[in-house]
Amino acid sequence: MPAQRRAYAQTVDIVEFLSARIAEDEAVARKLLDDRTTSESGKWYERRLLLECEAKRRLIGIVEAARQTALATLVSDPFGDETEWIPQALEWTTLSLNALAVPYSDHPDFSREWLWSP
C-alpha cells in the first residue's frame, strides 16, 4: 500500500469513508443498469442497490446530525445539567456508523477501529 494511501486511511472520517463507498456502489449499479446485457433480475438487483444507497445516505445524515448536536451541546455547555445524555448519544452514533462500515471491511481505507463493538 503506498504511503499516501496509508496516511489517508489513518485520517479519514468514517462519514467520508462511507460516502465514498456509497458513491462507488451507485456508480457500479448505474453502469450495470445501462448495460444492455444485464439480465432483468440483474437490473432489479441494481435498482435495489440504488435504493439501499439512498437509505444509507439518509441514515448517515440522521446519525451524523445527532452526533453533531451532541458535540455542539458539549462545546457550548460542557458542565451543564442537561448534558448527561451526551456520552450515550456519542456512543450510539459511533456504533451506528461503525456498523454501516462493516460491509466495506475489505477496503484498503477501512480502519480496523471501526470494528469495535461493546
Side-chain angles (χ1 to χ4, degrees):
M1 180 185 316
Q4 180 181 10
R5 191 166 192 91
R6 278 195 306 270
Y8 171 75
Q10 293 172 358
T11 61
V12 69
D13 176 75
I14 193 165
V15 173
E16 293 171 11
F17 174 83
L18 287 167
S19 297
R21 301 299 73 77
I22 292 167
E24 291 169 355
D25 289 347
E26 283 179 325
V28 170
R30 290 185 195 290
K31 183 177 180 181
L32 289 170
L33 280 171
D34 290 340
D35 185 342
R36 290 188 294 164
T37 64
T38 302
S39 68
E40 283 305 309
S41 61
K43 288 183 180 185
W44 175 88
Y45 178 81
E46 299 309 324
R47 286 190 291 271
R48 170 97 179 227
L49 180 58
L50 289 174
L51 291 172
E52 287 180 13
C53 289
E54 177 59 28
K56 287 177 187 178
R57 274 206 177 92
R58 289 181 187 188
L59 185 56
I60 290 167
I62 292 165
V63 171
E64 185 62 3
R67 182 168 78 157
Q68 293 303 319
T69 298
L71 290 171
T73 301
L74 185 60
V75 168
S76 68
D77 189 14
F79 303 109
D81 294 333
E82 302 295 323
T83 58
E84 69 273 353
W85 59 272
I86 292 174
Q88 294 85 10
L90 291 175
E91 182 178 8
W92 80 255
T93 58
T94 299
L95 292 173
S96 298
L97 293 170
N98 290 354
L100 287 171
V102 169
Y104 306 106
S105 62
D106 62 343
H107 192 279
D109 294 331
F110 182 86
S111 172
R112 293 285 162 216
E113 293 173 10
W114 298 335
L115 290 175
W116 174 82
S117 62

